[in-house]
Amino acid sequence: MGQMPEYDDALTEDALLTALASELYGETAEGFGPDDARRAIEDARNWLERWLSRHRQALCDELSRRGFQSSENMEAIVDVATMVDVIAGFGLGQATASIVAALIFKWGIRNLCK
């Protein structure tokens, strides 16, 4: 689990959750076997769902204040940077914030602030 996924797999939900689990578990994750890795993915998913339930409204308020709009074009790069910046402002490290942002986009950014 300590390695980043190959490029082809980098955008799958499980690969992102594995990366998040690595951030959450730190060095402990390096010795994980297959059963541990599956459990770690579920732990990461549960952690993110709890984190979002605690921070969703404040996250959406801050994104709205900054004029965030999910888009299909080059502005998406700015959207990602804004999302990572806002998430990092909630006390997550840059790597963890980047993974969380990627998962939020993967799960559907349009559903986040409904």
Side-chain angles (χ1 to χ4, degrees), residues 63-75:
L63 289 170
S64 176
R65 187 186 72 73
R66 293 186 186 202
F68 177 88
Q69 293 185 18
S70 182
S71 60
E72 301 292 328
N73 56 32
M74 280 300 286
E75 292 174 3

Side-chain angles (χ1 to χ4, degrees), residues 1-48:
M1 214 166 91
Q3 294 181 344
M4 288 300 292
E6 294 294 322
Y7 178 75
D8 291 343
D9 297 334
L11 296 180
T12 68
E13 184 175 334
D14 280 355
L16 290 167
L17 288 168
T18 297
L20 179 59
S22 291
E23 288 295 314
L24 298 174
Y25 285 111
E27 291 181 18
T28 308
E30 292 176 13
F32 280 6
D35 290 338
D36 297 320
R38 281 188 290 279
R39 200 166 31 254
I41 287 171
E42 280 306 307
D43 287 350
R45 181 179 285 114
N46 292 335
W47 178 89
L48 181 55

Side-chain angles (χ1 to χ4, degrees), residues 48-64:
L48 181 55
E49 288 171 355
R50 284 189 312 272
W51 188 89
L52 282 172
S53 72
R54 283 192 315 272
H55 298 289
R56 181 181 314 270
Q57 188 59 54
L59 177 62
C60 291
D61 290 348
E62 181 62 17
L63 289 170
S64 176

